[in-house]
Amino acid sequence: MDIRAILMGLAFAVMWSSAFTSARIIVADASPMAALTLRYAISGLLGVGIALALGQSWRLTPAQWRATILFGVLQNAVYLGLNFVAMQTIQASVAAIIASTMPLLVALAGWMFLGERLRPLGIAGLIAGVAGVSLIMGARIDGGVDLTGLLLCGIAVVALTIATLSVRGATSGGNFLMIVGLQMLVGCLACGLATLLFETPRLDPSWTLAAAFAYTTLVPGLAATFVWFWLVNRIGATRAATFHFLNPFFGVAIAALMLSEPLGGRDVLGVVIIALGILAVQISRQRVS
């Protein structure tokens, strides 16, 4: 892994982790699904426009179209949609911790359902990840966290896991930015439908809301997604996923810094255990591959 890939991986981890804090700010003043619909419309049109200017084509391969639609629905609409709804009642750090378990779930599902090998180090990592999540969630449940919000975040990370397993290797062949932009537009359509069916849009305009919306649209929404696909195609999905072990740290730290969310000793210990579990799983999978 070269220095450029390492720096891009670090940038991805920071951008991905910061999305929960900016989302928490947005849903305080705007309805979640309507906000996501507008975000995806802007991000998608920007992505497609820039891709066309760079000479990329929307004539994708069947595998790329499948990846675009699956990711657009499962990641953009289901995963982020449920997280946005959940963060009306739970803290950004809680949502970030649950979402950061995705690499553990991918490894577990690959081992249980796809026949992928997992070395003892990987099994130990899975056990550590479960222990870390249990430690943090036990403390939060004792503190009165909203259980419906926790359930929505759990469903969301399962949807992201399914999307990740379904499209591995399907985005190779170029047109990265075009794929990202089209995924956003698919998410826009899905979230727009959800808004019409389930939500009464609300908006309390403020400069804080505008700044958070602009940030989440351009940075976690567009830039982080592009960087992720760049990493996957440069160093492979398994090595790229190693950077997810930083997400619990960054997610909790950014929420504590920007939102003044409380951070107890059990939270810190749980985050460390989860991060080490993710790292162990990814190292194990690299050795197998």
Side-chain angles (χ1 to χ4, degrees), residues 68-113:
T68 298
I69 295 171
L70 278 173
F71 245 64
V73 173
L74 290 177
Q75 176 179 274
N76 294 341
V78 180
Y79 165 70
L80 276 176
L82 291 180
N83 269 296
F84 264 59
V85 172
M87 275 187 284
Q88 295 177 109
T89 57
I90 67 170
Q91 295 175 334
S93 57
V94 174
I97 289 167
I98 295 174
S100 69
T101 63
M102 183 272 289
L104 299 174
L105 295 179
V106 168
L108 179 62
W111 181 36
M112 294 180 62
F113 303 116

Side-chain angles (χ1 to χ4, degrees), residues 19-244:
F20 299 93
T21 293
S22 59
R24 176 74 167 158
I25 295 171
I26 289 170
V27 300
D29 292 323
S31 49
M33 298 307 295
L36 272 179
T37 301
L38 180 58
R39 167 190 157 173
Y40 287 140
I42 296 171
S43 296
L45 291 174
L46 280 174
V48 170
I50 296 171
L52 289 173
L54 294 174
Q56 296 185 16
S57 172
W58 53 33
R59 295 180 180 178
L60 308 181
T61 66
Q64 287 177 324
W65 273 117
R66 184 172 63 251
T68 298
I69 295 171
L70 278 173
F71 245 64
V73 173
L74 290 177
Q75 176 179 274
N76 294 341
V78 180
Y79 165 70
L80 276 176
L82 291 180
N83 269 296
F84 264 59
V85 172
M87 275 187 284
Q88 295 177 109
T89 57
I90 67 170
Q91 295 175 334
S93 57
V94 174
I97 289 167
I98 295 174
S100 69
T101 63
M102 183 272 289
L104 299 174
L105 295 179
V106 168
L108 179 62
W111 181 36
M112 294 180 62
F113 303 116
L114 301 179
E116 295 182 354
R117 293 176 57 200
L118 195 61
R119 298 168 67 94
L121 178 62
I123 296 173
L126 290 176
I127 295 172
V130 171
V133 171
S134 300
L135 182 64
I136 294 172
M137 292 306 135
R140 296 305 175 99
I141 290 172
D142 290 342
V145 71
D146 179 58
L147 296 181
T148 301
L150 284 182
L151 177 62
L152 292 178
C153 288
I155 297 172
V157 74
V158 170
L160 182 58
T161 300
I162 294 172
T164 302
L165 288 169
S166 300
V167 303
R168 286 186 299 183
T171 56
S172 60
N175 289 326
F176 303 138
L177 190 54
M178 178 63 73
I179 292 172
V180 170
L182 291 174
Q183 284 178 358
M184 299 296 175
L185 294 180
V186 171
C188 175
L189 292 175
C191 288
L193 179 61
T195 301
L196 292 174
L197 293 176
F198 305 116
E199 192 173 80
T200 301
R202 62 178 175 83
L203 177 65
D204 298 316
S206 69
W207 287 112
T208 302
L209 172 62
F213 184 84
Y215 176 82
T216 197
T217 299
L218 299 175
V219 181
L222 193 59
T225 307
F226 174 75
V227 169
W228 172 250
F229 282 117
W230 183 91
L231 279 171
V232 168
N233 283 276
R234 185 177 181 90
I235 63 176
T238 300
R239 288 184 174 85
T242 303
F243 289 101
H244 277 288

